[in-house]
Amino acid sequence: MNKEIQDKLDEFITSFLEVKEVKQFLILKDELASSKEIEVLKDEVRRSQKDMALSLGTSLYKEKKAYYLSKKREYESHPLIVNYEMLKEEVDYLLNELVNKLKA
């Protein structure tokens, strides 16, 4: 790659990483990755989903489904997850805008 183009690309990446939303997203992503509470919630959602699937066609299905849905709601409404999803949408939007500008 041309050195001038590589320098501009490096400058662009550095600038992009300085955008407030991008910084917040990366910090929150790291926080989520190291959160034991989030990991426990994820495991509970996965386990309850599996239990629900295995109970399909049995009298326990409705109970297992209700428990799964409650765990899923608990996970999805956790403040870290809510903030992460919101920031992810903002960063995705910024990236899409940049891609569109590069294509033009």
Side-chain angles (χ1 to χ4, degrees):
M1 182 181 287
N2 179 321
K3 175 147 174 50
E4 184 179 337
I5 293 172
Q6 183 63 50
D7 289 345
K8 288 285 186 187
L9 185 58
D10 291 343
E11 180 182 321
F12 169 77
I13 291 169
T14 301
S15 295
F16 183 75
L17 292 174
E18 290 300 316
V19 173
K20 180 180 83 170
E21 292 83 1
V22 175
K23 280 180 160 181
Q24 290 173 335
F25 173 77
L26 294 173
I27 289 168
L28 195 51
K29 184 178 176 185
D30 288 343
E31 195 173 328
L32 278 173
S34 64
S35 172
K36 296 296 181 196
E37 180 182 5
I38 294 298
E39 191 59 39
V40 167
L41 276 173
K42 271 193 221 177
D43 286 343
E44 288 175 348
V45 170
R46 279 189 222 118
R47 196 173 330 108
S48 63
Q49 185 178 28
K50 182 178 178 182
D51 287 347
M52 178 187 71
L54 292 173
S55 72
L56 193 61
T58 71
S59 61
L60 293 175
Y61 178 73
K62 285 184 181 180
E63 178 185 329
K64 299 285 185 177
K65 181 178 178 181
Y67 184 74
Y68 161 69
L69 291 174
S70 74
K71 285 298 172 184
K72 185 178 175 205
R73 273 190 301 275
E74 184 180 347
Y75 174 80
E76 291 173 346
S77 65
H78 190 284
L80 286 175
I81 299 299
V82 170
N83 288 335
Y84 174 81
E85 291 298 329
M86 181 188 68
L87 286 168
K88 183 176 181 270
E89 284 182 26
E90 290 180 27
V91 171
D92 283 346
Y93 175 79
L94 290 171
L95 286 171
N96 285 330
E97 286 295 309
L98 294 172
V99 167
N100 290 335
K101 285 181 181 180
L102 290 172
K103 287 181 180 178

